[in-house]
Amino acid sequence: MPSAPDPFLLLFAAAILLPLAIAVCLRRPAVVTLGFIAILCVFSSSTWGQLQEENTIYARGTGMFAFSLLNLLLWVAAASTLVRANTASYGMQRTSSDGVIGRNESPFATFITCFLLLLLGHLLLGLMSGIDPLTVLGYNGVINVLNMALFSALIVHTIDTDSQRHRLLQLLLALAALRAGFGLLRYQFFGGDSANPYRNFEKLDIKLVYFDIADNYIAALAAFCIAWLLLMPGSRMSLWKRAALLLWLAMEVATVVLSFRRSSLVGLALMFGVLLWRLPWPRRILGASVGVGAMLLAAGVLMRERLQFNAPQTGLLSSLLYDVGPRRATEVSRFYELEAAAKSLEGQWLFGLGSWGTFYGNEDALDYHFGKFDFVHSGFGHLILKTGFLGLLLFIGLLITCVAHYVRYRPSLRGNSALLADAGIAGLLFWFPTLLIGTPIIEFRSMLLIGMSLALVYLHPRIIRTRSLYPLPGYAAA
């Protein structure tokens, strides 16, 4: 059995690497941010469903430190960005006869402050109750909500030029194409994703492209961007380029469909609802016709490949809801877990049970928890369990603020800025089903990608603040 690392050597390595990391974050902030995004696009985080669980890149370092190395690097990058923003905030402003052109006003700093105060309160209460501080700040608590906001702020403050926005879009699309190609080839020739609970645990003859919901999001985001480029007025392409984009679009949609995640399919439909909303009427009809045909095809594939095992004699809707309702095909409702968590709150709805809190229920019905009841399958429900309605309202307030910003400024955006803003709000809608019935709060990768969706809404040229606080008519460029 390998011996534990020497604490002195760890301290010495940290003393050398920390200043180097800070220097890189200060001198090349955009490169660091794009590096983070590249890692999130390329490496899966889910090991649920594997017969032999393996460590992922997102868990590296947790054996030596309280948090993963990527998480520590995120905090270093965020702190460096804060230093840069404070030292450059006054020097970067330019005055004009109409007002001041400054940085885009994002809510992330306010939210970070509020959530830090909330976590500090939990830490103090935990210490008073004899709870280990690392348990209070553990990943099955709510620390990833703070990570999400920090990553959003990092993106907004480091991707702030037209060239950087263009580079970000190119990176997302290129890595999504590579990821989809790899997943589809593995699906066709090598049995699909090894993280497959349907095959490995339920013994169903099903193979998947990607079980990780974050991989589905990357493919869905790329599909949205490609469809936006194909359908949005003003985009002029040759016939062969359009054919290549259509093939690419089909590949990304197939990645989502052949992953057989219900929340992903619903999320993909919501994303294309945003696209139809933004299109003019003639193109909206075309897009809706193609979209309905694609969704019917996807529903047929889902019924044939996965839902036939759950409810083979029922219709599509009943099959989709096979674990919900009085006619479900499972012994216990999917929502039993949430009912048990609600009973465990016992009047502590306002502040929750603390980020270390657990709930209690029928262990046989909840055997997929493997005896650990410190999380639930609902992002919103998890926030209520840990932080009560106070934390939930804080989180929802951030989402509403971003949506309000989009609605206010989207009519003034053009080009890549419009595409990124639309992709951000569509990405947020993709995550909504997962926030309702999934476990994104305890997943580092998922929460950072949600943070990226929120940040995309703010990646446009600096807002011109006039006396009336509305954009000037000339604020329509890129």
Coordinates of all heavy atoms in Angstrom, one line a residue, residues 85-124:
A85 N -9.5 43.1 -11.9 CA -10.7 44.0 -12.0 C -10.6 45.2 -11.1 O -10.9 46.3 -11.6 CB -11.9 43.2 -11.7
N86 N -10.1 45.0 -9.9 CA -10.0 46.2 -9.0 C -8.9 47.2 -9.4 O -9.1 48.4 -9.3 CB -9.8 45.7 -7.6 CG -11.0 45.0 -7.0 OD1 -12.1 45.3 -7.4 ND2 -10.8 44.2 -6.0
T87 N -7.8 46.7 -9.9 CA -6.7 47.6 -10.3 C -7.0 48.3 -11.6 O -6.4 49.4 -11.8 CB -5.4 46.8 -10.4 OG1 -5.5 45.7 -11.3 CG2 -5.0 46.2 -9.0
A88 N -7.8 47.7 -12.5 CA -8.0 48.2 -13.8 C -9.4 48.9 -14.0 O -9.6 49.5 -15.0 CB -7.8 47.2 -14.9
S89 N -10.2 48.9 -12.9 CA -11.6 49.3 -13.1 C -11.7 50.8 -13.5 O -12.5 51.2 -14.3 CB -12.4 49.0 -11.8 OG -11.8 49.7 -10.7
Y90 N -10.9 51.6 -12.9 CA -11.0 53.0 -13.1 C -10.2 53.4 -14.4 O -10.6 54.3 -15.2 CB -10.4 53.8 -12.0 CG -11.3 53.7 -10.7 CD1 -10.9 52.9 -9.7 CD2 -12.5 54.3 -10.6 CE1 -11.7 52.7 -8.6 CE2 -13.3 54.1 -9.5 CZ -12.9 53.3 -8.5 OH -13.6 53.2 -7.4
G91 N -9.1 52.8 -14.7 CA -8.3 53.1 -15.8 C -9.0 52.7 -17.1 O -8.7 53.2 -18.2
M92 N -9.9 51.7 -17.1 CA -10.4 51.2 -18.3 C -11.7 51.9 -18.7 O -12.3 51.6 -19.8 CB -10.7 49.7 -18.2 CG -9.5 48.8 -18.1 SD -9.9 47.1 -18.1 CE -10.6 46.8 -19.7
Q93 N -12.2 52.8 -17.9 CA -13.4 53.5 -18.2 C -13.1 54.7 -19.1 O -12.1 55.4 -19.0 CB -14.1 54.0 -17.0 CG -14.8 52.9 -16.2 CD -15.6 53.4 -15.0 OE1 -15.4 54.6 -14.6 NE2 -16.4 52.5 -14.4
R94 N -14.0 55.0 -20.1 CA -13.9 56.1 -21.0 C -15.1 56.9 -20.9 O -16.2 56.4 -21.0 CB -13.7 55.6 -22.4 CG -12.4 54.9 -22.6 CD -12.2 54.4 -24.1 NE -13.1 53.4 -24.4 CZ -14.1 53.5 -25.3 NH1 -14.3 54.7 -25.8 NH2 -14.9 52.5 -25.6
T95 N -15.0 58.2 -20.9 CA -16.2 59.1 -20.8 C -16.5 59.6 -22.1 O -15.7 59.6 -23.1 CB -15.9 60.3 -19.9 OG1 -14.8 61.0 -20.4 CG2 -15.6 59.8 -18.5
S96 N -17.8 59.9 -22.3 CA -18.3 60.5 -23.5 C -19.4 61.5 -23.2 O -19.7 61.7 -22.0 CB -18.9 59.4 -24.4 OG -20.1 58.9 -23.9
S97 N -19.8 62.2 -24.2 CA -20.8 63.3 -23.9 C -22.2 62.7 -23.4 O -23.0 63.3 -22.8 CB -21.1 64.1 -25.1 OG -21.5 63.3 -26.2
D98 N -22.4 61.4 -23.7 CA -23.7 60.7 -23.4 C -23.6 60.0 -22.0 O -24.6 59.7 -21.5 CB -24.1 59.8 -24.5 CG -24.3 60.5 -25.8 OD1 -25.1 61.4 -25.8 OD2 -23.6 60.2 -26.8
G99 N -22.5 59.6 -21.6 CA -22.4 58.8 -20.4 C -21.1 58.1 -20.3 O -20.0 58.6 -20.7
V100 N -21.1 57.0 -19.6 CA -19.8 56.2 -19.4 C -19.9 54.8 -20.0 O -20.9 54.2 -19.9 CB -19.6 56.1 -17.9 CG1 -18.3 55.3 -17.6 CG2 -19.4 57.5 -17.2
I101 N -18.9 54.5 -20.7 CA -18.8 53.1 -21.2 C -18.0 52.3 -20.2 O -16.8 52.5 -20.1 CB -18.2 53.1 -22.6 CG1 -18.9 54.0 -23.5 CG2 -18.1 51.7 -23.1 CD1 -18.3 54.0 -24.9
G102 N -18.6 51.3 -19.6 CA -17.9 50.5 -18.6 C -18.1 49.1 -18.8 O -18.6 48.6 -19.8
R103 N -17.7 48.3 -17.8 CA -17.9 46.8 -17.9 C -19.4 46.5 -17.8 O -20.2 47.2 -17.2 CB -17.2 46.1 -16.8 CG -15.7 46.1 -16.9 CD -15.0 45.2 -15.9 NE -13.6 45.2 -16.0 CZ -12.9 44.4 -16.8 NH1 -13.6 43.6 -17.6 NH2 -11.6 44.4 -16.9
N104 N -19.7 45.3 -18.5 CA -21.1 44.9 -18.3 C -21.4 44.6 -16.9 O -20.7 44.1 -16.1 CB -21.3 43.6 -19.1 CG -21.2 43.8 -20.6 OD1 -21.5 44.9 -21.1 ND2 -21.0 42.8 -21.4
E105 N -22.6 45.1 -16.5 CA -23.0 44.9 -15.1 C -23.6 43.5 -14.9 O -24.7 43.2 -15.4 CB -24.1 46.0 -14.7 CG -23.5 47.4 -14.8 CD -24.6 48.4 -14.4 OE1 -25.7 48.0 -14.2 OE2 -24.3 49.6 -14.4
S106 N -22.9 42.6 -14.3 CA -23.4 41.3 -14.0 C -23.7 41.1 -12.5 O -23.1 41.8 -11.7 CB -22.3 40.2 -14.4 OG -21.2 40.3 -13.6
P107 N -24.6 40.2 -12.2 CA -25.0 40.0 -10.8 C -24.1 39.1 -10.0 O -24.3 38.8 -8.8 CB -26.4 39.4 -10.9 CG -26.3 38.6 -12.2 CD -25.3 39.3 -13.1
F108 N -23.0 38.5 -10.6 CA -22.3 37.5 -10.0 C -21.5 37.9 -8.8 O -21.4 37.1 -7.8 CB -21.3 36.8 -11.0 CG -22.0 36.4 -12.3 CD1 -21.7 36.9 -13.5 CD2 -23.0 35.4 -12.2 CE1 -22.4 36.5 -14.7 CE2 -23.6 34.9 -13.3 CZ -23.4 35.5 -14.6
A109 N -21.0 39.1 -8.8 CA -20.3 39.6 -7.6 C -21.2 39.6 -6.4 O -20.8 39.2 -5.3 CB -19.6 40.9 -7.8
T110 N -22.4 40.2 -6.6 CA -23.4 40.3 -5.5 C -23.8 38.9 -5.0 O -23.8 38.6 -3.8 CB -24.6 41.0 -6.0 OG1 -24.2 42.3 -6.4 CG2 -25.6 41.1 -4.8
F111 N -24.0 38.0 -5.9 CA -24.4 36.6 -5.6 C -23.3 35.9 -4.8 O -23.5 35.2 -3.8 CB -24.8 35.8 -6.8 CG -25.2 34.4 -6.5 CD1 -26.5 34.1 -6.1 CD2 -24.3 33.4 -6.7 CE1 -26.9 32.8 -5.8 CE2 -24.7 32.1 -6.4 CZ -26.0 31.8 -6.0
I112 N -22.1 36.1 -5.3 CA -20.9 35.4 -4.6 C -20.8 35.9 -3.2 O -20.6 35.1 -2.3 CB -19.6 35.7 -5.4 CG1 -19.6 35.0 -6.7 CG2 -18.4 35.4 -4.6 CD1 -18.5 35.4 -7.7
T113 N -21.0 37.2 -3.0 CA -20.9 37.8 -1.6 C -22.0 37.2 -0.7 O -21.8 36.8 0.4 CB -21.1 39.3 -1.7 OG1 -20.0 39.8 -2.5 CG2 -21.0 39.9 -0.3
C114 N -23.3 37.2 -1.3 CA -24.4 36.6 -0.5 C -24.2 35.2 -0.1 O -24.4 34.7 1.0 CB -25.7 36.8 -1.2 SG -26.2 38.5 -1.4
F115 N -23.7 34.4 -1.1 CA -23.6 33.0 -0.8 C -22.4 32.7 0.0 O -22.4 31.7 0.8 CB -23.4 32.2 -2.2 CG -24.0 30.8 -2.1 CD1 -25.4 30.6 -2.1 CD2 -23.2 29.7 -1.8 CE1 -25.9 29.3 -2.0 CE2 -23.7 28.4 -1.7 CZ -25.1 28.2 -1.8
L116 N -21.3 33.5 0.0 CA -20.2 33.4 0.9 C -20.7 33.6 2.3 O -20.3 32.9 3.3 CB -19.1 34.3 0.5 CG -18.1 33.9 -0.5 CD1 -17.1 35.0 -0.9 CD2 -17.3 32.7 0.0
L117 N -21.5 34.6 2.5 CA -22.0 34.9 3.9 C -22.9 33.7 4.3 O -22.9 33.3 5.5 CB -22.9 36.2 3.8 CG -22.1 37.5 3.6 CD1 -23.0 38.7 3.5 CD2 -21.1 37.7 4.8
L118 N -23.7 33.1 3.4 CA -24.5 32.0 3.8 C -23.6 30.8 4.2 O -23.9 30.1 5.2 CB -25.4 31.6 2.6 CG -26.4 30.4 2.8 CD1 -27.4 30.8 3.9 CD2 -27.1 30.1 1.5
L119 N -22.6 30.5 3.4 CA -21.7 29.4 3.7 C -21.0 29.7 5.0 O -20.7 28.7 5.8 CB -20.7 29.2 2.6 CG -21.2 28.3 1.4 CD1 -20.1 28.2 0.4 CD2 -21.5 26.9 1.9
L120 N -20.6 30.9 5.3 CA -19.9 31.3 6.5 C -20.8 31.0 7.7 O -20.4 30.5 8.7 CB -19.5 32.7 6.5 CG -18.8 33.2 7.8 CD1 -17.5 32.5 8.0 CD2 -18.5 34.7 7.6
G121 N -22.1 31.3 7.6 CA -23.1 31.0 8.6 C -23.2 29.6 8.8 O -23.2 29.1 10.0
H122 N -23.2 28.8 7.8 CA -23.3 27.3 7.9 C -22.0 26.8 8.6 O -22.1 25.9 9.5 CB -23.4 26.7 6.6 CG -24.8 26.7 6.0 ND1 -25.4 25.7 5.2 CD2 -25.8 27.6 6.1 CE1 -26.6 26.0 4.9 NE2 -26.9 27.2 5.4
L123 N -20.9 27.4 8.3 CA -19.6 26.9 8.9 C -19.6 27.2 10.4 O -19.2 26.3 11.2 CB -18.4 27.6 8.2 CG -17.0 27.2 8.6 CD1 -16.8 25.7 8.4 CD2 -16.0 28.0 7.9
L124 N -20.0 28.4 10.8 CA -20.1 28.7 12.2 C -21.1 27.8 12.9 O -20.7 27.3 14.0 CB -20.5 30.2 12.4 CG -19.4 31.2 11.9 CD1 -20.0 32.6 12.0 CD2 -18.1 31.1 12.6

